[in-house]
Amino acid sequence: MRNPCPGSSSPHGRTGRPRSAAADAAILAATRDALVDLGWSKLTMGDVSARAGVAKTTLYRRWAGKNELVVDAVAELFDALELPDRGSLEADIEHVVLQFAQLLRRPEARTALMAVVAESTRDEALRDRIRSAIVDRQKRLVVLGRERAQARGELPHEEDESVAAHSTDLIFDVIAGTVVHRALVSAEPVDEVWVSTFTALLMHGLQGA
C-alpha cells in the first residue's frame, strides 16, 4: 500500500512533524515528470528532489527508494478513476473504460506505467508493491460496479465470497488487460465505437447470454 497519510509515522517507523500533503503531491508530480524526461534507468532520487524543491532526506523519510516512489506516483494517477452511477452496468463499464483510456493517453501515465511494469519483471518486491498499491486498490471499481448491477437485478448475487473474489479478479483482468494492450501495446484508439463493442462482448460473458 502507499505510505502512511499525513500525520502518521513514516514507513521506517520514525515519528516527527506531520507529513505535508502539498509536499507529497509535488514529489509525486515531479517523479512522473522526471520519468517522461529521463526514463526509468536515468531517474534518480536526486532528480526528483531537485524538481520538487525538497531535500533528498525528505524523500527518504517517505519512500525507501526509487521503486516505491515511482509506484506511488503511478498509483496517485489511478486513484483519480471514478465510477459514477450511469444507471446500468453497460453504461458504467463504458464510462470507466473511456476514463481509463483517457488517463493512459497522458504521457506521464503511459511512461510511468510501462516503466514500472517492465522493471517488475526483474523485481519481485516491486511486483508485489504494484499489486497492492495499484491493482488491488483499483479493484474497488469492479466491486462497486458489480454491487450496483446486483442491486438493479442485472447480475446474480454470489453467496460464496471466494467465488465473488474470483469473479472480481477476472473482470478486472479482462478490462485492465484489454485496455492496456489496446492503448499501449497495439497503440490503437480506444474510442467510443471500440468501447461499445468491447462492453457488449463483456456483458455477454457476465450475463451468460
Side-chain angles (χ1 to χ4, degrees):
M1 295 180 64
R2 289 174 66 185
N3 293 298
C5 62
S8 64
S9 61
S10 77
H12 301 293
R14 302 188 188 98
T15 58
R17 292 182 302 172
R19 284 177 55 166
S20 164
D24 283 358
I27 291 166
L28 296 176
T31 302
R32 294 189 293 267
D33 289 344
L35 267 174
V36 173
D37 293 343
L38 303 173
W40 176 279
S41 61
K42 294 182 179 179
L43 175 68
T44 68
M45 298 291 270
D47 294 318
V48 175
S49 67
R51 288 170 184 256
V54 300
K56 279 199 292 185
T57 53
T58 300
L59 296 186
Y60 284 109
R61 280 198 297 268
R62 291 159 161 78
W63 294 276
K66 183 171 77 171
N67 288 1
E68 294 84 355
L69 174 58
V70 173
V71 171
D72 281 7
V74 177
E76 185 179 56
L77 294 177
F78 284 92
D79 282 345
L81 293 174
E82 298 177 346
L83 188 64
D85 191 343
R86 297 284 172 144
S88 71
L89 177 59
E90 186 172 10
D92 286 355
I93 292 173
E94 288 182 349
H95 174 81
V96 78
V97 169
L98 285 168
Q99 189 182 35
F100 184 32
Q102 184 177 24
L103 173 60
L104 293 178
R105 284 195 288 271
R106 293 171 56 177
E108 67 273 26
R110 183 170 59 248
T111 302
L113 180 61
M114 294 293 275
V116 296
V117 170
E119 187 66 20
S120 71
T121 63
R122 300 183 293 271
D123 187 332
E124 185 175 352
L126 178 59
R127 193 159 56 245
D128 290 342
R129 191 174 180 88
I130 291 171
R131 185 180 300 112
S132 63
I134 300 175
V135 175
D136 289 347
R137 285 226 297 270
Q138 294 315 309
K139 286 178 183 177
R140 63 188 168 81
L141 300 174
V142 176
V143 172
L144 177 58
R146 289 177 69 248
E147 288 176 348
R148 287 176 180 168
Q150 289 167 344
R152 298 185 195 110
E154 296 174 291
L155 293 178
H157 289 273
E158 293 169 333
E159 301 298 332
D160 189 323
E161 292 185 3
S162 64
V163 173
H166 178 73
S167 296
T168 296
D169 290 346
L170 183 58
I171 294 168
F172 179 87
D173 289 345
V174 169
I175 294 175
T178 303
V179 176
V180 168
H181 188 278
R182 174 82 176 178
L184 302 185
V185 180
S186 298
E188 296 289 345
V190 182
D191 53 24
E192 292 185 0
V193 173
W194 183 88
V195 170
S196 177
T197 304
F198 168 68
T199 303
L201 182 63
L202 184 60
M203 290 291 295
H204 182 86
L206 289 172
Q207 296 178 329

